[in-house]
Amino acid sequence: MSSIHPDVQAALDAARDLRHRIADMRERIDSIRARRPSPRGGVIPEVDAMGRLTDLYVAPGTAARFTSAELVAEVMAAIRESTADAARQYQVIMNTPPEEIEAAAAAAAAGQA
């Protein structure tokens, strides 16, 4: 039976840790959802971290209250705001040091126990 050299084992451990961190980050990014209402509040889009529209709520009667151009402006404004919010959330995840994320996760887990 051959044993693995300590340097090789350290490299394998570091690679495994990196894979886990990447998977955790990907999971956090995939969970980003931004929902910012339109200026008059009748439209609420849901946008993911990549800026994709994933859902759209239009309050009852909203379409009847606006002209076509006004409704388009409401929808587009809400999508722009939601996209900007999702981008901010993404930047927070990308700029947060792993140590802070791990500490926050540990604190959250301790609070649930």
Side-chain angles (χ1 to χ4, degrees), residues 2-25:
S2 67
S3 64
I4 297 176
H5 189 277
D7 291 344
V8 173
Q9 186 62 51
L12 291 171
D13 292 344
R16 184 180 60 245
D17 182 52
L18 181 59
R19 280 195 312 274
H20 288 296
R21 287 179 187 231
I22 290 169
D24 289 344
M25 182 176 284

Side-chain angles (χ1 to χ4, degrees), residues 65-105:
R65 288 194 332 252
F66 297 109
T67 66
S68 293
E70 291 170 333
L71 183 58
V72 168
E74 285 287 297
V75 171
M76 294 305 295
I79 290 172
R80 278 191 301 276
E81 285 294 318
S82 296
T83 301
D85 185 32
R88 282 188 294 271
Q89 292 179 51
Y90 178 85
Q91 286 303 316
V92 166
I93 289 171
M94 296 304 291
N95 293 326
T96 302
E99 302 77 35
E100 288 182 30
I101 294 168
E102 291 166 6

Side-chain angles (χ1 to χ4, degrees), residues 19-52:
R19 280 195 312 274
H20 288 296
R21 287 179 187 231
I22 290 169
D24 289 344
M25 182 176 284
R26 186 74 225 166
E27 189 174 307
R28 285 190 305 277
I29 290 169
D30 288 345
S31 71
I32 291 174
R33 292 293 181 273
R35 296 173 198 92
R36 306 296 301 164
S38 64
R40 296 183 195 162
V43 177
I44 303 173
E46 180 181 87
V47 176
D48 69 9
M50 299 299 114
R52 294 177 296 223

